[in-house]
Amino acid sequence: MCTSVADERCTRSTFVTVRKSYILVSWRNITAAGLVGYSGWPEQTPTIDRELLSGAVRFTKYKHFVNPSRASPLDVYVYDPSGKTLKDRGVLYTKDQKSRMAICLTTIFVAESQIMVPSSSGIKNKYIKGPLHMQEMERLGAFFCMCFNRSPLGSQFDGEHNLSFGTMGIKDDKAGGDASNSKSESSTSGASSAFGHIRSKGLLKAVQQSTYHQFSRTHTKTFLNASDTVPVYNTAGQTFKLPDDIECFDQLPRHTGEVPLGSCALVGYTASLYKSAKEQLSLATNLQFVIILAID
């Protein structure tokens, strides 16, 4: 059993598997470091609110907020906002909230954060990534495979089981530029190749074709642009319970700067389907906001 979040992750293969019929495939095939153990959080972040952590991990669904690791695929449906075929595109919407776009919520151990400025190479974007908890990862994989009726399904997992949540990428062929500034502003785990650098031309094309959607009292996009601000909220010192307070998460104090490594964070994102440059149908986890539950 894993007892430490940072150092004693359980070894897993490079596939995230629930059953043979439901598989999310990593974008690169290397030895995986594994997932995190729930019981290790009090040691990792002694000030963590265990009731809040439990509520985040066990959260199922509230209105258009959905936890893919716990919700039922019957609560959502796939819709293509462009009005075209669903063969290689589609976004998750909820069925019981007047067809509102589903806001997915996933709890992670923050391994890398670059949300202040876009990444400095490849197709530049903002992102946060990290591993999920054991069992929650497998459930998430089954949920999305069933929702999009695709398996195996490409994913934003790297070879260390870090799931990346990112904004729209902007291709930049110029070398140099403000790369040094970007590096100094980011918080990185030192991984040699962050999947947050969205490499797929297929995803970039799908993002550029995305349109505005209305839910609640505001307008949002399926994808945030790399130039958009990714809001980060902090629950420290606040009375914040799940699921009761999820609708008013934007009233929490804003966090400035990158999300500290080793933090426990609840990531809000939309989920969509796209075809990669290798013609593989893949899952896009489109970053919308981050809620810090505890800081190392």
Side-chain angles (χ1 to χ4, degrees):
M1 178 180 294
C2 295
T3 57
S4 171
V5 173
D7 301 323
E8 298 183 30
R9 298 179 187 172
C10 294
T11 302
R12 300 293 178 97
S13 68
T14 53
F15 294 99
V16 181
T17 310
V18 177
R19 300 175 182 173
K20 275 190 174 182
S21 56
Y22 301 125
I23 302 174
L24 286 182
V25 182
S26 169
W27 68 277
R28 60 175 183 169
N29 187 20
I30 65 173
T31 302
L35 308 176
V36 301
Y38 179 87
S39 61
W41 278 114
E43 178 182 347
Q44 175 73 18
T45 55
T47 60
I48 195 167
D49 182 333
R50 299 192 186 192
E51 184 179 352
L52 176 58
L53 174 62
S54 176
V57 173
R58 299 173 63 185
F59 176 81
T60 302
K61 180 181 180 295
Y62 181 77
K63 295 188 176 180
H64 61 295
F65 294 95
V66 176
N67 178 0
S69 297
R70 299 287 176 132
S72 167
L74 298 178
D75 293 331
V76 298
Y77 69 100
V78 180
Y79 171 71
D80 183 355
S82 71
K84 299 179 181 179
T85 175
L86 295 176
K87 183 178 181 181
D88 58 2
R89 293 193 55 187
V91 181
L92 281 191
Y93 282 74
T94 52
K95 290 182 177 180
D96 60 348
Q97 288 298 308
K98 296 182 180 179
S99 299
R100 294 163 80 178
M101 186 166 28
I103 302 298
C104 300
L105 299 173
T106 293
T107 307
I108 66 168
F109 169 90
V110 179
E112 189 167 341
S113 171
Q114 181 140 4
I115 58 177
M116 298 301 295
V117 294
S119 51
S120 59
S121 61
I123 298 177
K124 300 166 62 177
N125 81 325
K126 296 175 181 177
Y127 65 91
I128 188 170
K129 72 176 184 177
L132 281 67
H133 295 85
M134 292 175 292
Q135 299 181 346
E136 304 308 302
M137 176 75 81
E138 291 88 343
R139 291 167 175 167
L140 178 144
F143 176 87
F144 283 125
C145 284
M146 286 189 283
C147 288
F148 290 107
N149 195 27
R150 297 286 187 278
S151 184
L153 182 64
S155 70
Q156 307 281 336
F157 290 109
D158 63 16
E160 296 180 343
H161 277 158
N162 293 318
L163 178 57
S164 180
F165 308 86
T167 66
M168 174 179 177
I170 300 175
K171 188 168 184 179
D172 185 2
D173 295 325
K174 297 180 180 179
D178 60 353
S180 60
N181 293 332
S182 174
K183 184 67 175 179
S184 65
E185 292 285 345
S186 69
S187 176
T188 175
S189 62
S192 60
S193 180
F195 192 80
H197 306 167
I198 299 181
R199 303 166 186 273
S200 169
K201 293 180 180 178
L203 176 55
L204 180 60
K205 181 179 180 181
V207 169
Q208 291 171 337
Q209 294 175 349
S210 67
T211 57
Y212 281 88
H213 302 272
Q214 183 175 13
F215 66 95
S216 189
R217 297 180 301 277
T218 62
H219 287 77
T220 188
K221 291 184 290 186
T222 306
F223 300 83
L224 290 181
N225 296 314
S227 59
D228 290 335
T229 297
V230 178
V232 180
Y233 305 92
N234 196 342
T235 62
Q238 305 297 311
T239 301
F240 184 73
K241 304 297 181 184
L242 292 170
D244 300 356
D245 301 327
I246 188 59
E247 265 199 311
C248 54
F249 71 89
D250 56 353
Q251 297 179 22
L252 288 167
R254 291 286 286 267
H255 173 83
T256 58
E258 294 293 344
V259 179
L261 302 186
S263 299
C264 180
L266 184 65
V267 182
Y269 60 101
T270 61
S272 58
L273 191 68
Y274 73 98
K275 184 175 288 187
S276 71
K278 296 182 179 180
E279 296 298 306
Q280 180 182 33
L281 289 175
S282 301
L283 170 70
T285 44
N286 314 303
L287 180 61
Q288 299 288 325
F289 59 86
V290 179
I291 303 174
I292 300 175
L293 303 181
I295 295 177
D296 181 14

